[in-house]
C-alpha cells in the first residue's frame, strides 16, 4: 500500500513539475519579447532586440566573436546557430530566422523560391576563406609539395593513382615522391568547403566538370569520406600517402602539412591569409556579389578561395529588426574585419567592402532605406 | 487495492475489475494517466510513419523502383539510389553478428553453466558496462585505435596472404566494412550476451539433471539439453542485436569510410543508411535530396521493423514451447 502510493505521488509530482516547467518557459519567452515590442514606440533605443541567424559552420568562430563584441558595444543580441549552409538557406527561405549564412551561392531554384516567399534575397560577403590541400607523405613537410589544378582534379578522379606519377614529379623537381598509392580523402558530410573545392576543380578540369561537378556534396570517385574537417584531417594524418582538403584555418591551427597550388597565372602559391584576400582582387566582382573566388587571375592569389555570405531579404518586415540587422552588417564589414586574421579568416578586399556597402544600403523597410549614410 | 500491490500475474482479472468497478478517485486518475501515456506512444509511432512516408513520397514517385536498385547518389544530377546504403547496412551488420554471436553465446554459456559463482556477477556486470558506453566514444576509440590496427597488421596481412579472394582485395585503408563490422560486434555483444544468458537460464534444471544422470558430460549436456531448449531465445537475442547494429549511426560513420560504393571487398570504404543520413541531412537543401534521405530513413525503418517482428515471433515461440515442454 505504502509503496504503491509513493509511486503514484511521485508520478503526480513529475507531472506537476512538467506542467510548471513548460508553463515557465512559455512565460519566459513572452517576457523576452515584450521589451522589443515596447521599444517600437520609443523607436530610437534599439537595445533588447534579439536577432536570430542560422547557417554555415565555417565562419561560426568569427561570427561568435563578432556577435559577442557587438553585444557588449551596442546591447543588441544576435543569436547564431551553426547548423550548416544548407540549413541556413532553408530557414531564411522559410522566413523563420532574420538572416541566414552560407558558404555557397543559393541555386536559381532556391533563390526563386525565397523570392516568391519574401522578395529578393541578398548575398552579403562577410569574409573569405581558403581550402587547403593537405597530405601525409613521410619525409615531405608542409609547403614542399606543389600541385596544379588539373593534377589535383585527376588525383580526385582517381586517374593519377601513384605519388611518383610523372605528372606530379614534373612539377616537383626538388623532392622524391614515393612509389605508393594515393589514398584520396574527402568530406562525407555536405559542406561549403566541398562546394568551394569542387567549384575550383570544375573550373580547372573539364573532366571533373562533366563527370562529377560542383555541389556541397558530390558523387566522389575516390576513396574515403571523413566527417567534417576533423574527420578528413584525422584520416589524412593517420593514413600514410593520403591527400585531403580542409579549411585553411583548420590546417593552420592543427599544423597539418599543406600543398602549394598553381594559380591561374602559373605561380605556385602557399595558402595564407594574404593570398586568400588577394583572390578577390583578381576577379571582376559583380554588384550582387554572387561570385566564387576560385581560380583568381591575380598572380599572388591562392586559387581555392571562397566568400562566406550572410543572406538577408532586401525588404525587411520589421523596422526595428531591420535597422539592427543593417547596422550589424555595416559594422561587420568595417570594424568587424579587424577580428578576422586572429581567427585565420581573410579580411575582405577593398573592392568587396565597397560592393557590400552598396548591398547593405539597398536593404529597405516599406520602400525606405534602413541605413542612411 | 491488494492485487494491485502485489502485481501478481495470475490476478489480472481482479486487477481489471478493481479499475472499473470499485475505483477510488486516485485509481481512476492513475489508470487514465497511464492510458494517456500509452496512447501518446502509439500516436508518436504513427506520426513518425506518416511523416516519413509523406516526406519520402516525392523521391519514391520520381525514382520508383530504381531508388532501390540505383547505385548513384549524385547531388549535381539529382539522381539518388539506395542500393549501396542498403547493402552497406546489411553487410556491416552481418559482419558484426558473425563476430558477435559466437562470442556472446560462448560467454553466456560460460556465465550460466561453467563459471564459478564468484566470477559470474563481475563478468556479467562488466558486459553490461560495455553496453553503457556511448557510441560516439566507441567510434573515437575505433578511429584512433582499432582502425590503425586493422590497417596494419590485419588488412595488410590478409591482403598479401589471402588477396586472391575478392573479399580481401584493394588497398588497406583501415576504415571500411571490416572495421565497421568489428565496431558493431563490440556494440552488440553486451545485448546478445545478456539476452542469451536469460534464455539459457530459463532452461529448467531438471533438463540438465536428466542429461547428467544419463552419464552425459558437461559438453554433451550443453549441446543436447541446454542449447536446443534455449535455441529460439538465442535466435531472438541475435535478432535484437541485429536491430541495434542496423540502426547504429555515430560509431559506424566514424569508421566505415563513407564512400558510396558497392563492392565485394571488406577493405573497401562503404556507407550505411544511418551514416548517410547523419552525414548529409544537415546540409541538404534541395527538396529531392531531403526527400531521398527520408526515403532512406523509411527503408531503414521498415528493415528494423521487420527484424523486430521476427524477433517477437521467435521469442513468443520460445515461451510457447517452453510452457508446453513443462
Amino acid at each position: 500500500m505504502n509503496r504503491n502510493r509513493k509511486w503514484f505521488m511521485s508520478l503526480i509530482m513529475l507531472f506537476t513539475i512538467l506542467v510548471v516547467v513548460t508553463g515557465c518557459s512559455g512565460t519566459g519567452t513572452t517576457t523576452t519579447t515584450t521589451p522589443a515590442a515596447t521599444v517600437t514606440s520609443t523607436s530610437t533605443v534599439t537595445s533588447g532586440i534579439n536577432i536570430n541567424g542560422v547557417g554555415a559552420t565555417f565562419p561560426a568562430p568569427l561570427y561568435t566573436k563578432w556577435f559577442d563584441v557587438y553585444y557588449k558595444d551596442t546591447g543588441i543580441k544576435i543569436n547564431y546557430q551553426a547548423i550548416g549552409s544548407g540549413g541556413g538557406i532553408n530557414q531564411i527561405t522559410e522566413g523563420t530566422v532574420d538572416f541566414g549564412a552560407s558558404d555557397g551561392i543559393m541555386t536559381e531554384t532556391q533563390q526563386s523560391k525565397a523570392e516568391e516567399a519574401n522578395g529578393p534575397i541578398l548575398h552579403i560577403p562577410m569574409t573569405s576563406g581558403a581550402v587547403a590541400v593537405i597530405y601525409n607523405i613521410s619525409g615531405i613537410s608542409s609547403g614542399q609539395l606543389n600541385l596544379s589544378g588539373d593534377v589535383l582534379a585527376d588525383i580526385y578522379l582517381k586517374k593519377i593513382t601513384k605519388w611518383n606519377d610523372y605528372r606530379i614529379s614534373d612539377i616537383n623537381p626538388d623532392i622524391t615522391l614515393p612509389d605508393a598509392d594515393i589514398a584520396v580523402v574527402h568530406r562525407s558530410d555536405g559542406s561549403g568547403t566541398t562546394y568551394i573545392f569542387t567549384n575550383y576543380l570544375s573550373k580547372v578540369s573539364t573532366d571533373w566538370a562533366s563527370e562529377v561537378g560542383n555541389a556541397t556534396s558530390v558523387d566522389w570517385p575516390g576513396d574515403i569520406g571523413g566527417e567534417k574537417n576533423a574527420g578528413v584531417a584525422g584520416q589524412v594524418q593517420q593514413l600514410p600517402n593520403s591527400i585531403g582538403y580542409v579549411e585553411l584555418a583548420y590546417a593552420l591551427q592543427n599544423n597539418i602539412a599543406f600543398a602549394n597550388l598553381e594559380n591561374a597565372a602559373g605561380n605556385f602559391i602557399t595558402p595564407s591569409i594574404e593570398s586568400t584576400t588577394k583572390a578577390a582582387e583578381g576577379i571582376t566582382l559583380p554588384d550582387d556579389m554572387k561570385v566564387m573566388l576560385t581560380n583568381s587571375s591575380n598572380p599572388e592569389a591562392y586559387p581555392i578561395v571562397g566568400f562566406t555570405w550572410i543572406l538577408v531579404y532586401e525588404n525587411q518586415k520589421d523596422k526595428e529588426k531591420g535597422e539592427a540587422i543593417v547596422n550589424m552588417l555595416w559594422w561587420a564589414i568595417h570594424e568587424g574585419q579587424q577580428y578576422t586574421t586572429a581567427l585565420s579568416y581573410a579580411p575582405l578586399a577593398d573592392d568587396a567592402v565597397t560592393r557590400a556597402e552598396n548591398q547593405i544600403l539597398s536593404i529597405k523597410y516599406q520602400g525606405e532605406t534602413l541605413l542612411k549614410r | 487495492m491488494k492485487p494491485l500491490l502485489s502485481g501478481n500475474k495470475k490476478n489480472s482479472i481482479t486487477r481489471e475489475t478493481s479499475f472499473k468497478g470499485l475505483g477510488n478517485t486516485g485509481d481512476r486518475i492513475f489508470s487514465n494517466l497511464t492510458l494517456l501515456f500509452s496512447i501518446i506512444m502509439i500516436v508518436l509511432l504513427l506520426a513518425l510513419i506518416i511523416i516519413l512516408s509523406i516526406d519520402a513520397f516525392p523521391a519514391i514517385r520520381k525514382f520508383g523502383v530504381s531508388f532501390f536498385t540505383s547505385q548513384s547518389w549524385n547531388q549535381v544530377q539529382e539522381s539518388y539510389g539506395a542500393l549501396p546504403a542498403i547493402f552497406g547496412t546489411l553487410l556491416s551488420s552481418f559482419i558484426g553478428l558473425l563476430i558477435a554471436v559466437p562470442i556472446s553465446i560462448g560467454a553466456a554459456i560460460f556465465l550460466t553453466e561453467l563459471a564459478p559463482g564468484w566470477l559470474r556477477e563481475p563478468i556479467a556486470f562488466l558486459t553490461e558496462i560495455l553496453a553503457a558506453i556511448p557510441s560516439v566514444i566507441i567510434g573515437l576509440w575505433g578511429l584512433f585505435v582499432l582502425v590503425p590496427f586493422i590497417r596494419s597488421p590485419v588488412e595488410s596481412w590478409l591482403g598479401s596472404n589471402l588477396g586472391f579472394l575478392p573479399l580481401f582485395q584493394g588497398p588497406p585503408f583501415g576504415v571500411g566494412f571490416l572495421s565497421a563490422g568489428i565496431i558493431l560486434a563490440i556494440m552488440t555483444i553486451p545485448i546478445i550476451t545478456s539476452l542469451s544468458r536469460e534464455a539459457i537460464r530459463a532452461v529448467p534444471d531438471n533438463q540438465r539433471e536428466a542429461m547428467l544422470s544419463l552419464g552425459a558430460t558437461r559438453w554433451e549436456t550443453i549441446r543436447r539439453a541446454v542449447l536446443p531448449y534455449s535455441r529460439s531465445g538465442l535466435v531472438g537475442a541475435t535478432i535484437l542485436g541485429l536491430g541495434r547494429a542496423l540502426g547504429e549511426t555515430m560509431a559506424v560513420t566514424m569508421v566505415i569510410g563513407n564512400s558510396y560504393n558497392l563492392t565485394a571487398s571488406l577493405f573497401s570504404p562503404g556507407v550505411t543508411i544511418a551514416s548517410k543520413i547523419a552525414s548529409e541531412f544537415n546540409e541538404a537543401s534541395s527538396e529531392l535530396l531531403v526527400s531521398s534521405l527520408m526515403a532512406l530513413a523509411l527503408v531503414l525503418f521498415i528493415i528494423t521493423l521487420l527484424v523486430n517482428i521476427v524477433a517477437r515471433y521467435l521469442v513468443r515461440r520460445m515461451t510457447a514451447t517452453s510452457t508446453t515442454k513443462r
Side-chain angles (χ1 to χ4, degrees), chain A residues 1 4 8 11 84-87 90 110 113 183 186 188-190 212 216-217 219 222-225 227 235 238-239, chain B residues 1 5 26 30 33 72-76 143-144 147-148 151 173 175 253 257-259 269 279-280 282-285 287:
Chain A
M1 185 73 188
N4 201 40
F8 184 60
L11 227 137
S85 297
N90 286 343
Q110 286 168 342
K113 201 178 151 199
H186 59 79
S188 60
D189 53 325
V212 183
T216 53
S217 166
D219 202 0
D223 304 330
I224 302 165
E227 190 78 358
Q235 291 292 348
Q238 271 192 25
L239 193 60
Chain B
M1 206 64 204
L5 245 178
F30 181 69
L33 210 60
S72 95
W73 191 272
N74 194 322
Q75 286 195 25
V76 182
L143 187 59
F144 290 107
V147 165
R151 178 163 54 238
F173 293 132
V175 291
T253 309
N258 305 301
S259 195
S279 291
E280 298 224 337
N282 266 351
E283 285 284 334
S285 49
E287 251 168 74

Side-chain angles (χ1 to χ4, degrees), chain A residues 188-266:
Chain A
S188 60
D189 53 325
S191 77
T193 311
T194 298
Y195 188 88
I196 296 170
F197 187 71
T198 53
N199 180 271
Y200 170 69
L201 294 183
S202 301
K203 278 187 187 173
V204 295
S205 159
T206 46
D207 284 353
W208 185 272
S210 61
E211 287 171 36
V212 183
N214 180 201
T216 53
S217 166
V218 295
D219 202 0
W220 296 96
D223 304 330
I224 302 165
E227 190 78 358
K228 313 236 182 275
N229 283 303
V232 173
Q235 291 292 348
V236 170
Q237 283 175 311
Q238 271 192 25
L239 193 60
N241 304 311
S242 58
I243 188 169
Y245 63 91
V246 294
E247 287 158 14
L248 174 62
Y250 193 88
L252 286 172
Q253 283 154 14
N254 293 283
N255 283 321
I256 306 166
F258 46 74
N260 309 319
L261 269 167
E262 188 183 36
N263 65 12

Side-chain angles (χ1 to χ4, degrees), chain B residues 19-270:
Chain B
F19 271 142
K20 276 185 190 159
L22 313 164
N24 66 32
T25 332
D27 270 355
R28 241 177 299 131
I29 294 176
F30 181 69
S31 82
N32 287 332
L33 210 60
T34 46
L35 177 69
L36 179 76
F37 290 156
S38 3
I39 289 174
I40 288 176
M41 282 203 289
I42 295 165
V43 168
L44 273 178
L45 180 69
L46 288 178
L48 198 70
I49 298 173
I50 291 167
I51 297 291
L52 267 183
S53 311
I54 291 173
D55 286 349
F57 184 68
I60 293 179
R61 190 183 48 193
K62 169 112 199 253
F63 302 117
V65 184
S66 80
F67 184 75
F68 302 97
T69 53
S70 157
Q71 295 185 30
S72 95
W73 191 272
N74 194 322
Q75 286 195 25
V76 182
Q77 290 161 12
E78 295 253 87
S79 78
Y80 304 108
L83 189 61
I86 297 173
F87 169 80
T89 306
L90 296 177
L91 178 62
S92 59
S93 300
F94 176 73
I95 300 169
L97 285 188
L98 208 63
I99 301 167
V101 168
I103 296 178
S104 305
I105 293 181
I109 291 173
F110 177 75
L111 287 174
T112 45
E113 303 291 318
L114 305 169
W118 57 270
L119 201 57
R120 272 177 208 188
E121 277 313 306
I123 293 186
F125 178 67
L126 288 174
T127 356
E128 260 137 52
I129 284 200
L130 192 59
I133 298 175
S135 70
V136 70
I137 292 174
I138 294 191
L140 276 178
W141 174 84
L143 187 59
F144 290 107
V145 181
L146 178 72
V147 165
F149 176 74
I150 293 295
R151 178 163 54 238
S152 156
V154 178
E155 284 187 351
S156 47
W157 186 86
L158 286 172
S160 52
N161 291 290
L162 296 165
F164 56 91
L165 293 170
L167 277 182
F168 304 119
Q169 277 167 7
F173 293 132
V175 291
F177 289 117
L178 187 59
S179 296
I182 293 172
I183 282 286
L184 286 175
I186 294 170
M187 301 184 78
T188 47
I189 281 174
I191 300 175
I192 304 180
T193 308
S194 69
L195 291 173
S196 306
R197 247 177 84 219
E198 294 306 316
I200 294 174
R201 213 186 260 162
V203 178
D205 271 344
N206 55 26
Q207 295 281 323
R208 297 187 184 85
E209 283 155 10
M211 211 49 201
L212 289 169
S213 67
L214 291 173
T217 61
R218 265 252 167 88
W219 163 241
E220 283 163 346
T221 314
I222 292 167
R223 202 169 69 93
R224 293 179 182 269
V226 175
L227 288 184
Y229 199 93
S230 55
R231 192 181 58 227
S232 315
L234 298 179
V235 174
T238 306
I239 289 182
L240 287 176
L242 176 64
R244 161 128 208 222
L246 289 170
E248 179 44 46
T249 310
M250 253 351 271
V252 170
T253 309
M254 288 163 117
V255 299
I256 200 166
N258 305 301
S259 195
Y260 211 68
N261 59 23
L262 196 66
T263 76
S265 171
L266 296 184
F267 297 177
S268 164

Side-chain angles (χ1 to χ4, degrees), chain A residues 14 40 46 49 66 88 99-100 134 142 157 187 205 230 237 251-252 256 263 286 296 298 320 330-331 347 372:
Chain A
L14 196 96
T40 338
T46 40
I49 285 186
W66 274 358
F99 67 87
I134 58 173
S142 191
L157 283 168
R187 280 281 284 268
S205 159
Q237 283 175 311
L252 286 172
I256 306 166
N263 65 12
S296 168
N298 187 319
E320 292 305 316
W330 190 271
W331 179 89
K372 302 203 170 68

